């Protein structure tokens, strides 16, 4: 009994202290999920689940049968709670839903048609233990037009060149046709141009279609329909894309690249988006000889001079020693040759006409440019952007604007600013905001560059929202928009986030939009087309059926989730105290 009184209280104290150490340390442990645990069922709710009659009903029945009282989540463009509404999302993004299911613990079951847009982004360990049920295995051959690229604004005498990407997908690609199809461009049902093409065995290919702008109403917007006809086609909803195009008599902006470099190429492309007017791009590869900037076809000096005479905005990029003498109401001189190489970081000048347009740019997080040529401003010049090498020393002006009797002028002494546009994301938006601010000031609000917002794309696939970009002065603010179509008009409000973007979901149709107070107008199309209609989806990324490892699933827990450990610590210390009191010890 004496021995028990000796080591008994010590054992109880050790037990209590060990329990407290585990609770304070709180290590994570792995344990096997109990057999029969309720799973999390992820139900694919993208448009592809509605391709064939009865497929969505089969998916609902399968999800309910596999849930066993567990949770069902819909996934597509986003993750949503379960309901029986027919699928309407134009994307199949599984990664966010898979992450949410893994966080809940328990077995994971995925019910899908196998076409997943973000297959490479799925966590390998989580997808390996999930059970995947693939519905609708057989896919008939399908011809489709996946994209149309070209200018959205043209002048009356232009030749429009459309780059069309088309292809074929599905099992048994031979179909009932021989692979020969007809690619055609129509306007309001009237054929404008057509061409016989040969479909690839699978995948996509690209071709160019050309047609004169005189075929379109003058002036105004026209929705061109680029479609493909193939006898063996099984899905008509992806056979065509709508391409909005505007014929305008407004004078074009002209970009002269002499010599052509990346700054000139990226600037010409961005200028067409932010200026919203037809843009001509000419290059001078060899001194004295001009070429078209897109096709590199030779252009006569007389034609270049004729275009320059009618231009309202002229941009000269490259080496100033090779620039021709031009006169225009607005002139942008972009010196990308010479200068001092190094890591030059840009920041806005304290006071300039572009302060409001550049207010939302995150300057501290932008990468440096390749070279800069700081310039002391003339008496009439106003600095817009300043640069410091390696963030040391005093900032020096590199972008200046001036206004005189000949019109407005801007000078940019930078090389490598195109890298902002190339990086995408916030850097690309900063590049676009800088170009838009300069163009808007140079044109003095006389063009549609003064629009407060415009869609990122004028042709949006079904099931995806229309993304609007704020391009107005100052910080983004709500803007009313009226959307007119053949059946009537509707009004809505664009509410922009901190990133300057707003989203608006619309059903398929052709819309003429007008922003409140005349701050922008144009045409946009929500197409019937969607990547979801194609077998295999975009890029053909598929998810194969697998049984998963739900029975052997392990879940992560920690010691503080065990209530009995708290009770053990309390009981050990209480028993030790009572024992010591009985023995007459303090």
């Amino acid at each position: 009994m004496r021995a028990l009184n000796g080591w008994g209280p010590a054992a109880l104290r050790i037990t209590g202290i060990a329990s407290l150490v585990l609770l304070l340390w709180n290590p994570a442990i792995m344990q096997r999920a109990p057999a029969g645990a309720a799973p999390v069922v992820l139900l694919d709710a993208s448009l592809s689940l509605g391709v064939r009659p009865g497929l969505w009903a089969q998916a609902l029945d399968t999800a309910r049968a596999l849930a066993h009282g567990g949770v069902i989540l819909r996934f597509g463009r986003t993750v949503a709670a379960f309901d029986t509404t027919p699928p309407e999302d134009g994307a199949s993004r599984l990664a966010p839903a898979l992450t949410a299911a893994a966080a809940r613990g328990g077995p994971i079951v995925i019910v899908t048609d196998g076409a997943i847009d973000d297959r490479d982004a799925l966590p390998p360990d989580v997808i390996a233990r999930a059970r995947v049920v693939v519905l609708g295995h057989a896919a008939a051959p399908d011809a489709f037009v996946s994209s149309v690229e070209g200018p959205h604004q043209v002048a009356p005498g232009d030749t429009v060149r459309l780059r069309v990407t088309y292809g074929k997908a599905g099992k048994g690609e031979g179909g009932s046709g021989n692979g020969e199809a007809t690619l055609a461009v129509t306007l309001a049902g009237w054929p404008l141009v057509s061409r016989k093409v040969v479909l690839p065995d699978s995948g996509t290919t690209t071709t160019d279609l050309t047609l004169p702008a005189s075929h379109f109403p003058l002036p105004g917007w026209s929705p061109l329909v680029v479609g493909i006809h193939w006898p063996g086609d099984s899905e008509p909803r992806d056979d065509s894309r709508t391409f909005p195009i505007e014929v305008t008599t407004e004078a074009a902006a002209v970009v002269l690249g002499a010599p052509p470099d990346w700054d000139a190429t990226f600037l010409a492309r961005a200028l067409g988006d932010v200026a919203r007017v037809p843009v001509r791009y000419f290059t001078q590869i060899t001194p004295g000889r001009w070429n078209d900037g897109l096709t590199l076809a030779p252009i006569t000096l007389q034609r270049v001079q004729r275009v320059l005479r009618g231009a309202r905005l002229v941009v000269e990029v490259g080496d100033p020693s090779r620039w021709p003498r031009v006169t225009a109401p607005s002139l942008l001189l972009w010196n990308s040759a010479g200068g001092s190489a190094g890591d030059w970081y840009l920041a806005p000048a304290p006071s300039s006409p572009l302060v409001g347009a550049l207010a939302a740019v995150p300057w501290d997080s932008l990468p440096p440019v390749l070279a800069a040529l700081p310039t002391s401003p003339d008496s009439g010049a106003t600095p817009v952007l300043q640069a410091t090498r390696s963030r040391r020393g005093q900032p020096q002006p590199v972008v200046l604007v001036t206004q005189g009797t000949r019109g407005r002028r801007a000078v940019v002494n930078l090389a490598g600013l195109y890298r902002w546009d190339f990086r995408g994301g916030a850097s690309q938006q900063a590049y676009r905001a800088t170009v838009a601010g300069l163009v808007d000031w140079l044109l003095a609000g006389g063009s549609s560059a003064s629009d407060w917002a415009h869609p990122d794309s004028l042709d949006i696939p079904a099931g995806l929202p229309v993304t609007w970009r704020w391009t107005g002065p100052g910080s983004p603010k709500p803007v009313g928009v009226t959307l007119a179509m053949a059946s009537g008009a509707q009004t809505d409000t664009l509410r922009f986030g901190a990133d300057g973007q707003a989203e608006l979901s619309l059903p398929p149709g052709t819309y003429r939009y007008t922003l409140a107070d005349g701050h922008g107008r144009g045409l946009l199309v929500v197409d019937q087309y969607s990547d979801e209609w194609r077998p295999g989806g975009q890029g053909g990324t598929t998810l194969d059926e697998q049984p998963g490892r739900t029975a052997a699933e392990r879940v992560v827990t920690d010691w503080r989730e065990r209530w009995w450990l708290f009770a053990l610590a309390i009981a050990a210390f209480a028993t030790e105290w009572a024992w010591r009191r009985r023995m007459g010890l303090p």
Side-chain angles (χ1 to χ4, degrees), residues 10-204:
L12 290 172
R13 176 168 293 189
I14 292 174
T15 302
I17 293 175
S19 301
L20 289 179
V21 169
L22 283 175
L23 291 173
L24 292 173
W25 182 22
N26 194 32
I29 61 172
M30 300 289 294
Q31 67 174 3
R32 194 176 298 273
V40 178
V41 179
L42 305 180
L43 174 61
D44 191 344
S46 60
L47 287 173
S48 59
L49 265 293
V51 170
R52 290 172 229 170
L55 186 58
W56 176 242
Q58 181 186 359
L60 290 175
D61 293 341
T62 304
R64 291 191 184 102
L66 295 173
H68 300 300
V71 177
I72 302 178
L73 298 176
R74 294 166 58 117
F75 72 91
R77 189 175 61 87
T78 58
V79 183
F82 173 71
D83 61 57
T84 59
T85 306
E88 54 185 17
D89 280 357
S92 302
R93 298 168 188 159
L94 176 59
L98 196 62
T99 302
R104 296 178 66 95
I108 301 174
V109 181
I110 303 169
V111 179
T112 178
D113 63 346
I116 302 298
D117 295 342
D118 55 354
R119 179 64 179 87
D120 295 337
L122 303 181
D125 56 333
V126 180
I127 192 63
R129 64 181 174 86
R131 178 182 177 184
V132 180
V133 179
V134 179
L135 306 177
H137 296 273
D142 173 42
F144 57 86
V145 176
S146 61
S147 68
V148 180
E149 299 177 0
H152 287 289
Q153 290 88 24
V154 296
D158 287 349
T159 296
V160 180
R161 178 177 284 102
L162 301 178
R163 172 151 290 190
V164 183
T165 301
Y166 61 95
K168 188 170 60 171
K171 302 296 183 181
E173 279 84 356
S176 60
N178 56 6
E180 185 176 277
T182 302
L183 198 62
V185 180
T186 60
L187 176 61
W190 290 93
L192 300 180
V193 64
S194 64
R195 175 185 296 178
K196 293 291 185 180
V197 296
V198 177
L199 295 173
D201 291 337
S202 64
T204 62

Side-chain angles (χ1 to χ4, degrees), residues 8 26 35 68-69 77 134 136 141 150 178 181 191 205 234 286 305 329 339 362 369 378 455 475 502 523 531 535 573:
N26 194 32
H68 300 300
R77 189 175 61 87
V134 179
N178 56 6
T205 187
S234 63
T286 303
Q305 292 174 338
V369 298
D378 297 333
S475 301
L523 181 98
D531 292 331
F573 286 122

Side-chain angles (χ1 to χ4, degrees), residues 153-158 213 216-221 246-253 276-278 280 307 310-312 446-447:
Q153 290 88 24
V154 296
D158 287 349
F216 315 141
L218 177 69
W221 285 93
E246 181 188 23
V247 180
T248 176
T249 56
E250 187 176 353
R276 315 290 280 182
V277 296
R280 302 289 189 278
V307 174
R312 188 173 176 195
S447 78

